[in-house]
Amino acid sequence: MQTQRFYSLNNFMRQRHGEKVIKLSIDAGFTCPNRDGRVATKGCIFCSSQGSGDFTPKTKGDITRQLESAVSLLSAKWGDSKKYIAYFQSYSNTYAPVEVLKAKYEEALSFPGVVGLAIATRQIA
Ligand code: SF4
């Protein structure tokens, strides 16, 4: 293992779960206020047309199918690891009513092997 001068999240998760925990990027089907007209329509200058989620599976919005797809894509790289963080990556993943968010987060948490969530979001001015 590489010597680091800090205790990384990767190392913490590996110790806690006994194996590498793989981050699975998904597009949960949200948009963001800088694209849908609430604040602006053209998006941030550094953001791609995919909401900075260019490597998420193309089954936009379908959480379980996206996680399945990401697992099969990454299993060649990570081999036997079976623990995951569901990474809500594209656009702003808190930009919906709480019931919608809850359903999507719970679907991800019920996927076999998912031990946590990472949620990309933006604050609305
Ligand atoms: S998804 Fe995020 S980075 Fe992209 S345009 Fe919206 S607020 Fe900006």
Side-chain angles (χ1 to χ4, degrees):
M1 182 180 295
Q2 181 182 352
T3 305
Q4 296 177 320
R5 294 176 61 122
F6 61 93
Y7 186 42
S8 69
L9 178 62
N10 181 39
N11 285 342
F12 169 79
M13 295 300 272
R14 195 182 279 273
Q15 284 186 337
R16 183 180 181 109
H17 297 288
E19 62 185 275
K20 167 81 179 166
V21 178
I22 303 166
K23 195 186 262 187
L24 305 174
S25 295
I26 57 177
D27 180 341
F30 296 109
T31 179
C32 91
N34 290 327
R35 290 182 178 277
D36 73 355
R38 182 167 175 181
V39 175
T41 56
K42 295 183 178 172
C44 301
I45 195 165
F46 49 82
C47 186
S48 76
S49 61
Q50 306 299 311
S52 296
D54 299 54
F55 301 103
T56 58
K58 299 305 169 210
T59 51
K60 185 181 177 87
D62 186 329
I63 307 294
T64 300
R65 280 189 58 207
Q66 287 198 45
L67 290 170
E68 288 169 350
S69 170
V71 165
S72 79
L73 195 69
L74 293 175
S75 61
K77 179 175 182 181
W78 294 112
D80 293 337
S81 292
K82 298 279 186 257
K83 300 277 174 62
Y84 311 108
I85 291 175
Y87 177 26
F88 287 74
Q89 182 176 19
S90 304
Y91 303 99
S92 188
N93 293 274
T94 55
Y95 192 47
V98 72
E99 317 80 59
V100 174
L101 301 176
K102 186 170 186 286
K104 288 180 185 274
Y105 299 163
E106 286 182 346
E107 182 176 349
L109 286 168
S110 69
F111 188 83
V114 168
V115 296
L117 305 178
I119 299 170
T121 188
R122 307 297 180 281
Q123 185 174 7
I124 300 172

